Amino acid sequence: MDVDLPTEPVVPLQVRRQTGSYRLSDFIIHRTLGTGSFGRVHLVRSKHNLRFYAIKVLSKEKIVRMRQVSHTRNEQQMLMAVQHTFIINLWGSFQDSANLYMVMDFVPGGELFTLLRRSNRFPDPVAKFYAAEVALALNYMHSLDIIYRDLKPENILLNADGHIKIADFGFAKHCNTNAWTLCGTPDYLAPEIIRNERYNKSVDWYALGVLIFEMLSGLPPFHEPDASHVVLYEKICAGPAAIRWPPFNALAQDLILKFLEHDPTKRYGNLKHGAGDVFAHPWFREVDWDKLRKREITAPYLPKIASAGDASAFEKYPEDNVAATYGQPVDDLYGDMFPDFDYAGV
């Protein structure tokens, strides 16, 4: 098959991108953008260039207690290795005695998940636009031997111009052969992950099939809202025969089925032509891949943003004065476990 693959600037994983040197006192913390098991993401403004950023603050004690040291270090290392228009930028990282800090893009449009829930489902051209941008990002990551492993609408952010930024690399892994760790979001897990088999980068293409289905229908294909994960995993392992198909575009359904192929050796994105099969699929026929990569195609939805620091697209969280605790001197029991996070003081 002759297909012109989108050209991507490749950064070898061992060559890390240039990041800045930061400390907490460089920023004014405005509000919380999100919370998680290990800490929070804050909207901050630089005192120096006055730009807005998002800072992820992670408790070292919680990371160690929940055995997430390798995932946390992986996230930083993966973000230092990638530089792509549809992937969030890591500008720098540092630590103090209690916390890790990662300075990243502030992406003001919020999560694709929020837009999808508000819309209920996307029209076929809208789902195609976001799927195509995700496909470009996945192809770039795979060219660096990175498996992303956590594709879902919550991890796809919308920039001010409506184009995507993939975030949250906590499950990403540099791997040029196979992996076997059980991780990811249940609805998006490929059957080989559930069966505890070795797997490769094709699990990301499987997840893209799930994402396309969810964007077109409003829910993932095997979704079980009130059942245990056991029932969900049984349906995933049963395959497409367990799916109740809404009236999709026939070409979209064909591509979804090729992504949800049970046998990874027969799955689209993992065949002889790799991602070339994905880009050449008839559902994507009208996509100009080079223009899309350059963000020269107008996005289907433009976030309503009043100003540079407008965070109204994000849910409000109680602040609990947590920011006042950052930088306080405590016994540092875990600093040597995160050697790539600079000690920059406060």
Side-chain angles (χ1 to χ4, degrees):
M1 180 190 302
D2 293 319
V3 58
D4 292 326
L5 282 174
T7 55
E8 296 284 7
V10 173
V11 183
L13 198 65
Q14 66 270 23
V15 179
R16 296 182 174 182
R17 56 180 298 179
Q18 292 295 310
T19 55
S21 178
Y22 298 96
R23 60 182 62 201
L24 197 56
S25 57
D26 291 332
F27 302 97
I28 299 169
I29 296 177
H30 282 247
R31 56 160 285 189
T32 298
L33 297 173
T35 62
S37 302
F38 315 121
R40 296 180 178 231
V41 178
H42 293 277
L43 172 67
V44 304
R45 192 173 197 180
S46 167
K47 295 177 182 177
H48 306 291
N49 63 17
L50 303 183
R51 286 180 56 184
F52 288 91
Y53 297 90
I55 288 190
K56 181 183 282 192
V57 184
L58 304 169
S59 162
K60 291 193 281 192
E61 185 273 329
K62 289 180 180 177
I63 292 169
V64 172
R65 177 159 42 87
M66 298 180 75
R67 300 181 181 179
Q68 296 297 309
V69 173
S70 62
H71 281 162
T72 303
R73 293 187 62 189
N74 267 346
E75 176 169 27
Q76 186 217 27
Q77 290 164 6
M78 297 302 103
L79 285 172
M80 288 174 71
V82 298
Q83 192 161 15
H84 191 273
T85 188
F86 299 138
I87 298 175
I88 201 162
N89 286 299
L90 174 69
W91 295 99
S93 54
F94 58 96
Q95 64 177 302
D96 59 27
S97 53
N99 299 303
L100 307 175
Y101 301 85
M102 299 173 71
V103 183
M104 295 180 286
D105 290 329
F106 169 52
V107 188
E111 298 173 358
L112 184 68
F113 177 84
T114 304
L115 179 62
L116 179 58
R117 288 296 173 266
R118 198 161 63 229
S119 308
N120 191 26
R121 62 180 67 89
F122 291 153
D124 188 82
V126 175
K128 187 180 306 184
F129 175 88
Y130 294 127
E133 294 199 334
V134 169
L136 285 172
L138 290 180
N139 180 47
Y140 170 78
M141 287 187 257
H142 293 171
S143 74
L144 299 180
D145 290 327
I146 292 173
I147 311 178
Y148 178 61
R149 300 197 295 188
D150 203 17
L151 188 65
K152 57 182 176 180
E154 293 92 329
N155 286 344
I156 301 169
L157 305 179
L158 299 179
N159 218 336
D161 61 3
H163 292 273
I164 71 162
K165 287 277 188 184
I166 293 180
D168 200 338
F169 275 60
F171 288 150
K173 180 180 177 64
H174 182 234
C175 178
N176 56 13
T177 52
N178 296 300
W180 54 89
T181 307
L182 174 61
C183 64
T185 298
D187 275 301
Y188 278 75
L189 294 178
E192 60 266 32
I193 298 179
I194 292 170
R195 294 193 296 258
N196 288 317
E197 298 171 355
R198 290 176 180 265
Y199 58 85
N200 63 14
K201 290 174 279 195
S202 72
V203 298
D204 286 338
W205 295 116
Y206 180 96
L208 180 55
V210 177
L211 177 68
I212 295 171
F213 188 102
E214 181 169 359
M215 288 193 292
L216 290 171
S217 74
L219 289 171
F222 303 104
H223 189 61
E224 284 290 329
D226 301 317
S228 70
H229 288 165
V230 173
V231 175
L232 171 65
Y233 292 161
E234 286 175 350
K235 289 179 69 174
I236 291 173
C237 289
I243 298 174
R244 296 180 62 180
W245 291 88
F248 283 174
N249 174 301
L251 292 176
Q253 181 168 334
D254 179 74
L255 180 58
I256 292 168
L257 285 168
K258 285 177 164 60
F259 281 142
L260 298 188
E261 166 62 51
H262 253 221
D263 183 348
T265 66
K266 299 177 181 177
R267 186 176 299 153
Y268 249 41
N270 197 37
L271 305 177
K272 177 183 176 182
H273 301 288
D277 291 322
V278 177
F279 297 128
H281 189 275
W283 190 55
F284 287 129
R285 183 178 289 123
E286 68 271 31
V287 176
D288 185 323
W289 293 100
D290 200 46
K291 280 189 174 181
L292 187 66
R293 182 178 61 82
K294 295 175 181 175
R295 298 197 302 187
E296 293 175 354
I297 296 175
T298 302
Y301 166 75
L302 292 178
K304 295 178 176 63
I305 297 165
S307 61
D310 182 2
S312 57
F314 293 86
E315 187 177 335
K316 290 255 185 188
Y317 296 88
E319 297 297 337
D320 300 329
N321 203 32
V322 67
T325 67
Y326 300 155
Q328 297 299 315
V330 297
D331 290 339
D332 189 351
L333 305 177
Y334 311 109
D336 59 346
M337 303 181 78
F338 305 96
D340 297 320
F341 287 78
D342 298 332
Y343 272 97
V346 294

